[in-house]
Amino acid sequence: MPIQDVVILPGGELAADVAAQIESKVSSTVGIKVQQIPMSKPRQFKAVLVGDGDDAALSSLAKPTTLAVFVVQTIENESPPEEAGACVRFFKRKTHPASLLADKVQFAVLGLGDSNLLLDRQHTSAKDCNQVAQSLDVRFEALGGTRFVARGEADERTGLTEVEPWIDALVGKLKD
């Protein structure tokens, strides 16, 4: 089923900048309608992701032809930034049924971390500083979600060089 709508959910200041890059590239290259909903807006992201809310326009996006792109930072102590906290806590709830995301939106996760914040900087990489993205990605799948592209992980220490190839992979799959 082809993607008809893309919703980008940034969590963090850097994530908002990267989300703007994704929005620009997807809308100009693929021509799909793109909108951003901050992870700090629980009513809006719940409506889009699980069809739970008063906003009929947003709730109508909770379908398999919608792609939800999560762009989330990991800050100190493997924590999400304040802007992403509500969304991360919502999905970590143990009370959700295993089918919460089944037959709803497809998902993609891009993690943004900074290995400079880690004690052992000599032997670290992007996978060592993106715990929030890793846990969300695993949790979305456990809740019945369908992964659209493999999780991306970028490191500020290396200049976020992993971001552009991940966006290109996302756009390439949207074109298919």
Side-chain angles (χ1 to χ4, degrees):
M1 199 174 299
I3 297 297
Q4 297 172 355
D5 296 285
V6 175
V7 178
I8 303 171
L9 298 104
E13 192 174 317
L14 177 61
D17 293 342
V18 173
Q21 281 182 272
I22 296 169
E23 180 177 9
S24 173
K25 193 151 192 179
V26 168
S27 59
S28 67
T29 308
V30 185
I32 295 175
K33 186 176 92 176
V34 180
Q35 62 180 312
Q36 286 192 47
I37 297 175
M39 292 174 81
S40 60
K41 305 282 187 191
R43 282 187 165 179
Q44 293 174 338
F45 74 70
K46 286 180 196 175
V48 169
L49 300 175
V50 296
D52 177 25
D54 300 333
D55 189 328
L58 289 177
S59 293
S60 70
L61 292 172
K63 60 185 185 254
T65 57
T66 298
L67 172 62
V69 179
F70 292 84
V71 184
V72 63
Q73 287 177 254
T74 298
I75 58 173
E76 296 175 30
N77 300 320
E78 303 178 4
S79 301
E82 188 175 334
E83 298 92 346
C87 186
V88 171
R89 286 188 300 276
F90 174 76
F91 283 107
K92 283 189 172 182
R93 289 183 190 160
K94 300 292 185 203
T95 56
H96 289 313
S99 61
L100 181 72
L101 296 176
D103 300 321
K104 304 260 184 0
V105 299
Q106 295 183 54
F107 72 90
V109 178
L110 174 61
L112 307 172
D114 187 353
S115 60
N116 285 315
L117 300 175
L118 303 173
L119 292 175
D120 180 15
R121 292 184 202 96
Q122 302 300 322
H123 302 90
T124 57
S125 67
K127 72 175 181 60
D128 300 310
C129 59
N130 279 291
Q131 294 85 356
V132 175
Q134 294 163 358
S135 65
L136 276 179
D137 187 68
V138 169
R139 186 68 177 144
F140 293 152
E141 191 172 55
L143 292 172
T146 302
R147 183 178 291 106
F148 186 73
V149 293
R151 177 182 65 242
E153 296 177 351
D155 185 353
E156 276 193 82
R157 184 176 60 139
T158 61
L160 299 174
T161 57
E162 305 88 349
V163 169
E164 199 62 38
W166 187 86
I167 294 173
D168 290 344
L170 177 77
V171 169
K173 184 143 186 206
L174 284 168
K175 285 181 177 179
D176 289 346

